[in-house]
Coordinates of all heavy atoms in Angstrom, one line a residue:
M429 N 0.9 -1.2 0.0 CA 0.0 0.0 0.0 C 0.9 1.2 0.0 O 1.8 1.3 0.8 CB -0.9 0.0 1.2 CG -1.9 1.0 1.3 SD -3.6 0.4 1.0 CE -3.7 -1.0 2.0
A430 N 0.5 2.2 -0.9 CA 1.3 3.4 -0.9 C 1.0 4.3 0.3 O 0.0 4.3 0.8 CB 0.9 4.2 -2.2
K431 N 2.1 5.0 0.7 CA 1.9 5.9 1.8 C 1.7 7.3 1.4 O 1.7 8.2 2.2 CB 3.1 5.7 2.8 CG 3.1 4.4 3.4 CD 3.4 4.4 4.9 CE 3.1 3.1 5.5 NZ 4.3 2.4 5.9
L432 N 1.7 7.5 0.1 CA 1.6 8.9 -0.5 C 0.4 8.9 -1.4 O 0.0 7.9 -2.0 CB 2.9 9.2 -1.2 CG 4.1 9.3 -0.3 CD1 5.4 9.5 -1.2 CD2 4.0 10.5 0.7
P433 N -0.1 10.1 -1.7 CA -1.1 10.3 -2.7 C -0.6 10.2 -4.1 O 0.5 10.3 -4.4 CB -1.7 11.7 -2.4 CG -0.5 12.4 -1.8 CD 0.3 11.4 -1.0
Y434 N -1.6 10.0 -5.0 CA -1.3 9.9 -6.4 C -1.8 11.2 -7.1 O -3.0 11.5 -6.9 CB -2.0 8.7 -7.1 CG -1.5 7.4 -6.6 CD1 -2.0 6.8 -5.5 CD2 -0.4 6.8 -7.3 CE1 -1.5 5.5 -5.1 CE2 0.0 5.5 -6.9 CZ -0.5 4.9 -5.8 OH 0.0 3.7 -5.4
K435 N -0.9 11.9 -7.8 CA -1.4 13.1 -8.6 C -1.9 12.6 -9.9 O -1.3 11.9 -10.7 CB -0.2 14.0 -8.8 CG -0.5 15.3 -9.5 CD 0.7 16.1 -9.7 CE 0.4 17.4 -10.4 NZ 1.6 18.2 -10.7
V436 N -3.2 13.0 -10.2 CA -3.9 12.5 -11.4 C -4.6 13.7 -12.0 O -5.0 14.7 -11.4 CB -4.9 11.4 -11.1 CG1 -4.2 10.2 -10.6 CG2 -5.9 11.9 -10.1
E437 N -4.7 13.6 -13.3 CA -5.5 14.6 -14.1 C -6.9 14.0 -14.3 O -7.0 12.9 -14.9 CB -4.9 14.9 -15.5 CG -3.5 15.4 -15.4 CD -3.4 16.7 -14.6 OE1 -4.3 17.5 -14.8 OE2 -2.4 17.0 -14.0
L438 N -7.9 14.6 -13.8 CA -9.3 14.1 -13.9 C -10.1 14.9 -15.0 O -10.0 16.1 -15.0 CB -10.0 14.2 -12.6 CG -9.3 13.4 -11.4 CD1 -10.1 13.7 -10.1 CD2 -9.3 12.0 -11.7
S439 N -10.8 14.2 -15.8 CA -11.7 14.8 -16.8 C -13.1 14.8 -16.3 O -13.6 13.9 -15.7 CB -11.5 14.0 -18.1 OG -12.6 14.3 -19.0
S440 N -13.8 15.8 -16.7 CA -15.3 15.9 -16.4 C -16.1 14.9 -17.3 O -17.3 14.8 -17.0 CB -15.8 17.3 -16.5 OG -15.5 17.8 -17.8
E441 N -15.5 14.3 -18.2 CA -16.2 13.4 -19.1 C -16.1 12.0 -18.8 O -16.7 11.1 -19.4 CB -15.7 13.6 -20.6 CG -15.9 15.1 -21.0 CD -15.3 15.3 -22.4 OE1 -14.9 14.4 -23.1 OE2 -15.3 16.5 -22.8
N442 N -15.3 11.7 -17.7 CA -15.2 10.3 -17.3 C -15.8 10.0 -15.9 O -16.0 10.9 -15.1 CB -13.7 9.9 -17.2 CG -13.0 9.9 -18.6 OD1 -13.7 9.8 -19.6 ND2 -11.7 10.2 -18.6
K443 N -16.0 8.7 -15.7 CA -16.4 8.2 -14.4 C -15.1 7.5 -13.9 O -14.4 6.8 -14.6 CB -17.5 7.2 -14.4 CG -18.8 7.9 -14.9 CD -20.0 6.9 -14.8 CE -21.2 7.6 -15.4 NZ -22.4 7.4 -14.8
Y444 N -14.9 7.7 -12.5 CA -13.7 7.1 -12.0 C -14.1 6.1 -10.8 O -15.1 6.3 -10.2 CB -12.8 8.2 -11.4 CG -12.3 9.1 -12.5 CD1 -12.9 10.3 -12.8 CD2 -11.2 8.7 -13.3 CE1 -12.4 11.1 -13.8 CE2 -10.7 9.5 -14.3 CZ -11.3 10.7 -14.6 OH -10.9 11.5 -15.6
F445 N -13.2 5.1 -10.6 CA -13.4 4.1 -9.6 C -12.2 4.1 -8.8 O -11.2 3.5 -9.2 CB -13.7 2.8 -10.3 CG -14.9 2.8 -11.2 CD1 -14.7 3.2 -12.5 CD2 -16.2 2.5 -10.8 CE1 -15.8 3.2 -13.4 CE2 -17.3 2.6 -11.6 CZ -17.1 2.9 -12.9
W446 N -12.2 4.7 -7.6 CA -11.0 4.8 -6.8 C -11.0 3.5 -6.0 O -11.9 3.0 -5.4 CB -11.2 6.0 -5.8 CG -10.1 6.1 -4.8 CD1 -8.8 6.5 -5.0 CD2 -10.3 5.9 -3.4 NE1 -8.2 6.5 -3.8 CE2 -9.0 6.1 -2.8 CE3 -11.3 5.5 -2.6 CZ2 -8.8 6.0 -1.4 CZ3 -11.1 5.3 -1.2 CH2 -9.9 5.6 -0.6
C447 N -9.8 2.9 -5.9 CA -9.5 1.7 -5.1 C -9.6 2.0 -3.7 O -8.8 2.8 -3.2 CB -8.2 1.1 -5.5 SG -7.6 -0.2 -4.4
A448 N -10.5 1.4 -3.0 CA -10.6 1.6 -1.5 C -9.9 0.5 -0.7 O -9.7 0.7 0.5 CB -12.1 1.7 -1.1
C449 N -9.6 -0.6 -1.3 CA -9.1 -1.7 -0.6 C -7.5 -1.8 -0.6 O -6.9 -2.4 0.3 CB -9.6 -3.0 -1.1 SG -9.0 -3.5 -2.8
G450 N -6.9 -1.1 -1.6 CA -5.4 -1.2 -1.6 C -4.9 -2.3 -2.4 O -3.7 -2.4 -2.6
L451 N -5.7 -3.2 -2.9 CA -5.2 -4.4 -3.6 C -5.0 -4.2 -5.1 O -4.3 -5.0 -5.8 CB -6.2 -5.6 -3.5 CG -6.4 -6.1 -2.0 CD1 -7.5 -7.1 -2.0 CD2 -5.1 -6.6 -1.5
S452 N -5.6 -3.2 -5.7 CA -5.5 -2.9 -7.1 C -4.1 -2.8 -7.6 O -3.2 -2.1 -6.9 CB -6.3 -1.7 -7.5 OG -6.1 -1.3 -8.9
L453 N -3.8 -3.3 -8.8 CA -2.4 -3.1 -9.3 C -2.4 -1.9 -10.2 O -1.4 -1.6 -10.8 CB -2.1 -4.4 -10.1 CG -2.0 -5.6 -9.3 CD1 -1.6 -6.8 -10.2 CD2 -0.9 -5.5 -8.2
T454 N -3.5 -1.2 -10.4 CA -3.6 0.0 -11.2 C -4.0 1.2 -10.3 O -4.8 2.0 -10.6 CB -4.6 -0.1 -12.3 OG1 -5.9 -0.4 -11.8 CG2 -4.2 -1.2 -13.3
Q455 N -3.3 1.4 -9.2 CA -3.5 2.5 -8.2 C -3.4 3.8 -8.9 O -2.6 4.0 -9.8 CB -2.5 2.4 -7.1 CG -2.7 1.2 -6.2 CD -3.9 1.2 -5.4 OE1 -4.5 2.3 -5.1 NE2 -4.4 0.0 -5.1
P456 N -4.2 4.8 -8.5 CA -5.1 4.7 -7.4 C -6.5 4.2 -7.8 O -7.5 4.3 -7.0 CB -5.2 6.2 -6.9 CG -5.1 6.9 -8.2 CD -4.1 6.2 -9.1
F457 N -6.6 3.6 -9.0 CA -7.9 3.2 -9.5 C -8.2 1.7 -9.3 O -7.2 0.9 -9.2 CB -8.1 3.6 -11.0 CG -8.0 5.1 -11.1 CD1 -6.8 5.7 -11.7 CD2 -8.9 6.0 -10.7 CE1 -6.7 7.1 -11.9 CE2 -8.8 7.4 -10.8 CZ -7.7 7.9 -11.4
C458 N -9.4 1.4 -9.3 CA -9.8 0.0 -9.1 C -9.5 -0.9 -10.3 O -9.7 -0.4 -11.4 CB -11.3 0.0 -8.8 SG -12.0 -1.7 -8.6
D459 N -9.0 -2.1 -10.1 CA -8.9 -3.1 -11.2 C -9.7 -4.3 -10.9 O -9.5 -5.3 -11.6 CB -7.4 -3.4 -11.4 CG -6.8 -4.3 -10.3 OD1 -7.5 -4.5 -9.3 OD2 -5.6 -4.7 -10.4
G460 N -10.6 -4.3 -9.9 CA -11.4 -5.4 -9.6 C -10.8 -6.4 -8.6 O -11.4 -7.4 -8.3
S461 N -9.6 -6.1 -8.1 CA -9.0 -7.1 -7.2 C -9.7 -7.3 -5.9 O -9.5 -8.3 -5.2 CB -7.5 -6.6 -6.9 OG -6.7 -6.6 -8.0
H462 N -10.7 -6.4 -5.6 CA -11.4 -6.6 -4.3 C -12.5 -7.7 -4.4 O -13.1 -8.1 -3.4 CB -12.1 -5.3 -4.0 CG -13.1 -4.9 -5.0 ND1 -12.8 -4.1 -6.1 CD2 -14.5 -5.1 -5.1 CE1 -13.9 -3.9 -6.8 NE2 -14.9 -4.5 -6.2
R463 N -12.7 -8.2 -5.6 CA -13.8 -9.2 -5.8 C -13.6 -10.4 -4.9 O -12.5 -10.9 -4.8 CB -13.9 -9.7 -7.3 CG -14.5 -8.6 -8.2 CD -14.9 -9.2 -9.5 NE -15.1 -8.0 -10.4 CZ -14.3 -7.6 -11.4 NH1 -13.2 -8.3 -11.6 NH2 -14.6 -6.6 -12.1
G464 N -14.7 -10.8 -4.2 CA -14.6 -11.9 -3.3 C -14.4 -11.4 -1.9 O -14.5 -12.1 -0.9
S465 N -14.2 -10.0 -1.7 CA -14.1 -9.5 -0.3 C -15.3 -8.6 -0.1 O -16.2 -8.5 -1.0 CB -12.8 -8.6 -0.2 OG -13.0 -7.4 -0.9
D466 N -15.4 -8.0 1.1 CA -16.5 -7.1 1.4 C -16.2 -5.7 1.0 O -17.0 -4.8 1.3 CB -16.9 -7.2 2.8 CG -15.8 -6.8 3.8 OD1 -14.7 -6.6 3.3 OD2 -16.0 -6.8 5.0
K467 N -15.1 -5.4 0.3 CA -14.8 -4.1 -0.1 C -15.4 -3.7 -1.5 O -15.7 -4.6 -2.3 CB -13.2 -4.0 -0.2 CG -12.5 -4.4 1.0 CD -12.4 -3.3 2.0 CE -11.5 -3.8 3.1 NZ -11.4 -2.8 4.2
K468 N -15.5 -2.4 -1.7 CA -16.0 -1.9 -3.0 C -15.2 -0.7 -3.4 O -14.6 0.0 -2.5 CB -17.5 -1.5 -2.8 CG -18.5 -2.6 -2.6 CD -19.9 -2.1 -2.8 CE -20.2 -0.9 -2.0 NZ -21.6 -0.5 -2.1
S469 N -15.2 -0.4 -4.6 CA -14.5 0.8 -5.1 C -15.4 2.0 -4.8 O -16.6 1.8 -4.6 CB -14.2 0.7 -6.6 OG -15.4 0.6 -7.3
L470 N -14.9 3.2 -4.8 CA -15.6 4.4 -4.6 C -15.7 5.0 -6.0 O -14.7 5.4 -6.6 CB -15.0 5.3 -3.6 CG -15.8 6.6 -3.3 CD1 -15.5 7.0 -1.9 CD2 -15.4 7.7 -4.2
N471 N -17.0 5.1 -6.5 CA -17.2 5.7 -7.8 C -17.4 7.2 -7.7 O -18.2 7.6 -6.8 CB -18.4 5.0 -8.4 CG -18.3 3.5 -8.5 OD1 -17.2 3.0 -8.3 ND2 -19.4 2.9 -8.6
F472 N -16.7 8.0 -8.5 CA -16.9 9.4 -8.5 C -16.7 10.0 -9.8 O -16.1 9.4 -10.7 CB -16.0 10.0 -7.4 CG -14.5 10.0 -7.8 CD1 -13.9 11.2 -8.3 CD2 -13.7 8.9 -7.7 CE1 -12.6 11.2 -8.6 CE2 -12.4 8.9 -8.1 CZ -11.8 10.0 -8.6
E473 N -17.2 11.3 -9.9 CA -17.0 12.1 -11.1 C -16.6 13.5 -10.7 O -16.8 13.8 -9.5 CB -18.3 12.2 -11.9 CG -18.8 10.9 -12.4 CD -20.2 11.0 -13.0 OE1 -20.3 11.8 -14.0 OE2 -21.1 10.3 -12.6
V474 N -16.1 14.3 -11.6 CA -15.8 15.7 -11.3 C -16.5 16.6 -12.2 O -16.7 16.2 -13.4 CB -14.3 16.0 -11.3 CG1 -13.5 15.2 -10.2 CG2 -13.7 15.6 -12.6
A475 N -16.9 17.8 -11.8 CA -17.7 18.7 -12.6 C -16.8 19.4 -13.6 O -17.3 19.7 -14.7 CB -18.4 19.7 -11.7
V476 N -15.6 19.7 -13.2 CA -14.7 20.4 -14.2 C -13.3 19.6 -14.2 O -12.9 19.0 -13.2 CB -14.5 21.8 -13.7 CG1 -15.7 22.6 -13.8 CG2 -13.9 21.9 -12.3
P477 N -12.6 19.7 -15.3 CA -11.3 19.0 -15.4 C -10.4 19.6 -14.3 O -10.4 20.8 -14.0 CB -10.8 19.4 -16.8 CG -12.0 19.8 -17.6 CD -13.0 20.3 -16.6
Q478 N -9.6 18.8 -13.7 CA -8.8 19.2 -12.6 C -7.6 18.2 -12.3 O -7.7 17.1 -12.6 CB -9.6 19.4 -11.3 CG -10.3 18.1 -10.9 CD -11.3 18.4 -9.8 OE1 -11.1 18.3 -8.6 NE2 -12.5 18.8 -10.3
T479 N -6.6 18.8 -11.7 CA -5.5 18.0 -11.1 C -5.9 17.6 -9.7 O -6.4 18.5 -9.0 CB -4.2 18.7 -11.1 OG1 -3.9 19.1 -12.5 CG2 -3.1 17.9 -10.6
A480 N -5.8 16.4 -9.3 CA -6.2 16.0 -8.0 C -5.2 15.1 -7.4 O -4.4 14.4 -8.1 CB -7.6 15.3 -8.0
W481 N -5.1 15.0 -6.0 CA -4.3 14.1 -5.3 C -5.2 13.1 -4.7 O -5.9 13.4 -3.7 CB -3.5 14.9 -4.2 CG -2.5 15.8 -4.8 CD1 -2.6 17.1 -5.2 CD2 -1.1 15.5 -5.1 NE1 -1.5 17.6 -5.7 CE2 -0.5 16.6 -5.7 CE3 -0.3 14.3 -5.0 CZ2 0.8 16.7 -6.1 CZ3 1.0 14.4 -5.4 CH2 1.6 15.6 -6.0
L482 N -5.1 11.9 -5.2 CA -6.0 10.8 -4.7 C -5.2 10.0 -3.7 O -4.1 9.7 -3.8 CB -6.5 9.9 -5.9 CG -7.3 10.6 -7.0 CD1 -7.8 9.5 -7.9 CD2 -8.4 11.4 -6.4
C483 N -5.9 9.6 -2.6 CA -5.3 8.9 -1.5 C -4.8 7.6 -1.9 O -5.4 6.8 -2.6 CB -6.4 8.7 -0.4 SG -5.8 7.7 1.0
G484 N -3.5 7.3 -1.5 CA -2.9 6.0 -1.8 C -2.8 5.2 -0.5 O -2.7 3.9 -0.6
C485 N -2.9 5.8 0.7 CA -2.8 5.0 1.9 C -4.1 4.4 2.3 O -4.2 3.5 3.2 CB -2.3 5.9 3.0 SG -3.4 7.1 3.7
K486 N -5.2 4.8 1.7 CA -6.6 4.3 1.9 C -7.1 4.6 3.3 O -8.1 4.0 3.8 CB -6.7 2.8 1.7 CG -6.0 2.4 0.4 CD -6.5 3.1 -0.8 CE -5.8 2.7 -2.1 NZ -6.2 3.5 -3.2
M487 N -6.5 5.6 4.0 CA -6.9 5.9 5.4 C -7.5 7.3 5.4 O -7.9 7.8 6.5 CB -5.7 5.9 6.3 CG -5.0 4.6 6.4 SD -6.1 3.3 7.1 CE -6.1 3.7 8.8
T488 N -7.6 8.0 4.3 CA -8.2 9.3 4.2 C -9.6 9.4 4.8 O -10.4 8.4 4.6 CB -8.2 9.9 2.8 OG1 -8.8 11.2 2.8 CG2 -9.0 9.0 1.8
K489 N -10.0 10.5 5.4 CA -11.4 10.7 5.9 C -12.2 11.4 4.8 O -13.4 11.7 5.0 CB -11.4 11.4 7.2 CG -10.7 10.6 8.3 CD -10.6 11.4 9.6 CE -9.8 10.7 10.6 NZ -8.4 10.6 10.2
N490 N -11.6 11.7 3.7 CA -12.3 12.4 2.6 C -12.1 11.7 1.3 O -11.5 12.3 0.3 CB -11.8 13.8 2.5 CG -12.5 14.6 1.5 OD1 -13.7 14.4 1.2 ND2 -11.8 15.6 0.8
P491 N -12.4 10.4 1.2 CA -12.1 9.6 0.0 C -12.9 10.2 -1.2 O -14.0 10.7 -1.1 CB -12.6 8.2 0.3 CG -13.6 8.4 1.4 CD -13.2 9.6 2.2
P492 N -12.3 10.2 -2.4 CA -11.0 9.6 -2.7 C -9.8 10.5 -2.6 O -8.7 10.1 -3.0 CB -11.2 9.2 -4.2 CG -12.0 10.4 -4.7 CD -13.0 10.7 -3.6
Y493 N -10.0 11.6 -2.0 CA -8.9 12.6 -2.0 C -8.1 12.5 -0.7 O -8.5 12.2 0.4 CB -9.5 14.0 -2.0 CG -10.4 14.2 -3.2 CD1 -11.8 14.2 -3.1 CD2 -9.8 14.4 -4.5 CE1 -12.6 14.3 -4.3 CE2 -10.6 14.6 -5.6 CZ -12.0 14.5 -5.5 OH -12.8 14.6 -6.6
C494 N -6.8 12.8 -0.9 CA -5.8 12.8 0.2 C -6.2 13.9 1.2 O -6.5 15.0 0.7 CB -4.4 13.0 -0.4 SG -3.2 13.3 0.9
D495 N -6.2 13.6 2.4 CA -6.5 14.7 3.4 C -5.3 14.8 4.4 O -5.5 15.5 5.4 CB -7.8 14.3 4.2 CG -7.6 13.2 5.1 OD1 -6.6 12.5 5.1 OD2 -8.6 12.9 5.9
G496 N -4.2 14.3 4.0 CA -3.0 14.4 4.9 C -2.8 13.3 5.9 O -1.8 13.3 6.6
T497 N -3.8 12.4 6.1 CA -3.7 11.4 7.1 C -2.5 10.6 7.0 O -1.9 10.1 8.0 CB -5.0 10.5 7.0 OG1 -6.1 11.3 7.3 CG2 -4.9 9.3 8.0
H498 N -2.0 10.4 5.7 CA -0.8 9.6 5.5 C 0.4 10.1 6.3 O 1.3 9.3 6.6 CB -0.4 9.5 4.0 CG 0.0 10.8 3.4 ND1 -0.9 11.6 2.8 CD2 1.2 11.4 3.4 CE1 -0.3 12.7 2.4 NE2 1.0 12.6 2.7
N499 N 0.4 11.4 6.6 CA 1.5 11.9 7.4 C 1.5 11.4 8.8 O 2.6 11.5 9.5 CB 1.4 13.5 7.4 CG 1.7 14.1 6.1 OD1 2.7 13.7 5.5 ND2 0.9 15.0 5.7
Q500 N 0.4 10.9 9.3 CA 0.3 10.3 10.7 C 0.6 8.8 10.8 O 0.6 8.3 11.8 CB -1.0 10.7 11.2 CG -1.3 12.2 11.3 CD -2.8 12.5 11.4 OE1 -3.6 11.6 11.7 NE2 -3.2 13.7 11.1
L501 N 0.8 8.2 9.6 CA 1.0 6.7 9.6 C 2.4 6.4 10.0 O 3.4 7.1 9.6 CB 0.7 6.2 8.2 CG -0.7 6.4 7.7 CD1 -0.9 5.9 6.3 CD2 -1.8 5.8 8.7
E502 N 2.6 5.3 10.7 CA 3.9 4.9 11.0 C 4.6 4.2 9.8 O 3.9 3.7 9.0 CB 3.9 3.9 12.2 CG 3.4 4.5 13.5 CD 3.4 3.6 14.7 OE1 4.1 2.6 14.6 OE2 2.7 3.9 15.6
E503 N 5.9 4.2 9.8 CA 6.6 3.6 8.7 C 6.3 2.1 8.5 O 6.0 1.4 9.4 CB 8.1 3.7 9.0 CG 8.6 5.2 8.9 CD 8.4 5.8 7.5 OE1 8.8 5.1 6.5 OE2 7.9 6.9 7.4
Ligands
FES1204 S1 -2.3 9.3 0.8 FE1 -4.0 8.7 2.2 S2 -4.4 10.5 3.3 FE2 -2.8 11.1 1.9

């Protein structure tokens, strides 16, 4: 699991599936690796194109966006 956020360019024309379980091999987005568990991806869209920092540690309180919680995680 990454301890840092991922910088991504988001389009207002796409739907996104943020990996909430940390198992995806295509971070920070879902690749279906959660199947068979009780986890689900978080589906989201943006109204305007933007650069965003998506959480990689999966501990954010504001998913899918990084809220700085990773700074409090132990090594
Ligand atoms: S990467 Fe998860 S809170 Fe920043």
Side-chain angles (χ1 to χ4, degrees):
M429 188 108 41
K431 295 227 167 104
L432 295 172
Y434 293 89
K435 183 181 181 183
V436 296
E437 301 298 326
L438 300 175
S439 164
S440 57
E441 298 176 10
N442 292 337
K443 293 183 187 219
Y444 295 99
F445 303 86
W446 175 71
C447 169
C449 71
L451 296 176
S452 174
L453 298 178
T454 58
Q455 294 292 330
F457 301 108
C458 175
D459 70 355
S461 292
H462 64 272
R463 286 194 192 106
S465 74
D466 60 351
K467 307 275 188 185
K468 293 193 307 189
S469 61
L470 184 147
N471 306 342
F472 71 102
E473 300 174 56
V474 294
V476 295
Q478 59 194 264
T479 301
W481 291 88
L482 300 186
C483 174
C485 75
K486 314 305 178 186
M487 301 296 286
T488 179
K489 295 174 189 65
N490 183 34
Y493 303 101
C494 172
D495 69 352
T497 297
H498 66 268
N499 288 317
Q500 300 161 14
L501 301 178
E502 293 183 20
E503 292 296 315

